[in-house]
Amino acid sequence: MAEPIGAARILSQAVLAFAVACGAGGPADVLEPGPATPPPPPPGSSLTYRFGAKFEPPEGRVVHGIGQWEVYNAKYYALLPADQQPAAELIFVDLGDTPRGWEPEKLAARMAAISSSGRIPSVDIALRGLQPTPAVLATLPDPLYGIDHEVANGTKYDARIMDVVGIMKGFRKPVMMRIGGEFSGWWNGYHPYEYPKAFRKIVSMFRQAGVNNVAFVWCFEPAAPDDFDAVSASGQPKWYPGADVVDWFSIDLFAAHDVGGPTTGHGGTSTAYARTLGFLDMAVAQGKPVVIAESAPAHYDLGAADQADAAWKEWFSPYFSLIATRPEILWFHYINYDWSKASYYASSGWKNNDLAASPGLAQSYLGELAKPKFLHAGEQHQLKDYLLYH
């Protein structure tokens, strides 16, 4: 539910680095991964990790990340003290065809820019082309328009996947990678039972190429049904790719009813908040940490004082409470953006979530980020295995 990489700024030196990394032998033959053994811990270090997942922060810390809209990110950075800058930044790229075409060099460029700014890239690989608006989606003869089934069962997109493999291997530094984020959301058009096969295939391609600087992320959105853990009569998972290929669980939180409220609705049906809690429970049962991959109070206009006040009470406060009371949540990204500026989101009623539009709310937000539990830029060396790839 975000801006594709096609809107990114190209940096020529990063494009050159991508070309060198891929070389004549193709993306599978790029640079060797980092050292096989970690450097010794700093003297007196006593860091412990609850789950033992790749790039997990030490117990008691939560990674602070930011969204993908560069102009609004600059406004976000300006609000923050130097020691509270975000440690991670989102990137989005569509594996399927879009009007922009397949442009892997832009992904390489954006990752290089994020890295040079001291942040970890958090990359979402969408298993579809450009996302249609709800109105257009309603006219499609097949609402399951995703390409996950083609990825799972054919070779049509293998070259593009290998482009990404080559970029990640050449990058060598830590990367968080969501594969088909918001997997069961109707808006993405993925195929039950085929999506987890596609996820597994992509992870296998990375591993076969010797890429080990990437943590793989499986992401749910609570506007979708609560069938994330469903299996067929024969035991085939409807959506879950499996603990052996998922490093992190992930959830996107945009509505007040995603982060709080009742857990049962009319007739005893589950609410979005119940689905949030159920997914978090599944993460704990599977022994996986959770990253809030995307988050913003999408239905509140922070430029209006009354709505900003309501947003703090009904979204921000429950949001930070959820992070505080669910210790499996170890990472978050806030998307600082005026959604009304993009037609896709404006058509869905999303509003201005730029913190700079509400100085009072921004101060409350900064008060949360000042708490010692949040891990900011410059502290990434504390993440598990981080120093192996840096």
Side-chain angles (χ1 to χ4, degrees):
M1 302 177 75
E3 176 196 31
I5 195 66
R9 177 167 46 94
I10 303 178
L11 302 180
S12 59
Q13 62 268 34
V15 176
L16 176 62
F18 168 70
V20 171
C22 288
D29 300 319
V30 294
L31 300 174
E32 291 301 317
T37 57
S45 173
S46 59
L47 299 180
T48 59
Y49 302 91
R50 179 180 180 187
F51 296 96
K54 186 173 288 185
F55 312 139
E56 177 184 343
E59 287 201 80
R61 305 302 302 279
V62 176
V63 177
H64 162 213
I66 184 64
Q68 69 281 15
W69 305 89
E70 293 180 85
V71 172
Y72 283 83
N73 283 1
K75 298 171 73 174
Y76 182 87
Y77 306 145
L79 293 172
L80 304 175
D83 61 351
Q84 293 177 24
Q85 294 293 314
E89 183 176 335
L90 294 170
I91 313 175
F92 291 79
V93 58
D94 300 330
L95 191 64
D97 291 329
T98 75
R100 301 177 182 89
W102 179 244
E103 300 174 310
E105 68 277 3
K106 291 188 177 182
L107 173 59
R110 184 72 179 273
M111 289 180 63
I114 290 171
S115 179
S116 67
S117 298
R119 293 184 290 278
I120 297 172
S122 185
V123 182
D124 180 276
I125 303 297
L127 307 182
R128 51 169 172 73
L130 195 64
Q131 197 170 35
T133 65
V136 171
L137 181 58
T139 68
L140 296 182
D142 181 4
L144 300 183
Y145 68 95
I147 62 168
D148 51 323
H149 61 308
E150 295 182 83
V151 170
N153 300 303
T155 60
K156 179 179 179 180
Y157 294 98
D158 284 8
R160 293 185 180 185
I161 296 169
M162 290 307 301
D163 283 344
V164 179
V165 169
I167 291 168
M168 299 304 155
K169 193 171 186 181
F171 185 67
R172 304 191 71 171
K173 298 179 181 181
V175 178
M176 299 283 279
M177 178 174 288
R178 281 192 302 171
I179 300 174
E182 302 176 359
F183 53 83
S184 56
W186 53 265
W187 50 90
N188 281 319
Y190 297 147
H191 299 73
Y193 304 105
E194 298 296 333
Y195 164 83
K197 296 177 187 176
F199 191 111
R200 293 188 65 86
K201 175 182 172 178
I202 292 171
V203 173
S204 176
M205 292 174 73
F206 273 81
R207 290 178 175 172
Q208 289 173 10
V211 179
N212 52 18
N213 59 313
V214 175
F216 297 103
V217 180
W218 182 57
C219 180
F220 174 67
E221 214 278 4
D226 61 355
D227 59 353
F228 41 79
D229 58 352
V231 296
S232 68
S234 62
Q236 182 182 359
K238 188 173 185 178
W239 298 112
Y240 185 42
D244 59 324
V245 293
V246 172
D247 295 304
W248 287 70
F249 274 43
S250 175
I251 193 165
D252 291 350
L253 302 171
F254 290 105
H257 54 243
D258 293 341
V259 295
T263 56
T264 56
H266 296 295
T269 58
S270 68
T271 64
Y273 183 49
R275 294 190 286 276
T276 293
L277 297 179
F279 189 74
L280 295 177
D281 289 344
M282 182 180 175
V284 174
Q286 291 289 316
K288 305 293 182 181
V290 176
V291 50
I292 300 175
E294 300 179 58
S295 61
H299 305 289
Y300 298 87
D301 180 359
L302 303 188
D306 59 337
Q307 290 196 45
D309 289 344
W312 185 262
K313 294 175 184 176
E314 298 169 12
W315 192 87
F316 284 98
S317 183
Y319 175 84
F320 284 115
S321 178
L322 187 69
I323 293 174
T325 57
R326 299 294 304 221
E328 64 274 15
I329 300 177
L330 298 179
W331 196 306
F332 82 93
H333 299 102
Y334 179 78
I335 300 179
N336 196 66
Y337 184 60
D338 182 354
W339 301 99
S340 69
K341 301 297 185 183
S343 59
Y344 179 89
Y345 302 103
S347 68
S348 300
W350 288 26
K351 300 177 181 178
N352 184 4
N353 291 169
D354 177 12
L355 292 173
S358 177
L361 189 150
Q363 286 303 309
S364 297
Y365 183 86
L366 292 176
E368 288 289 337
L369 287 191
K371 293 179 179 179
K373 69 181 175 184
F374 290 108
L375 188 149
H376 307 290
E379 299 182 282
Q380 292 100 323
H381 62 278
Q382 297 182 29
L383 304 182
K384 187 178 184 301
D385 299 332
Y386 181 84
L387 293 176
L388 280 171
Y389 310 106
H390 200 272

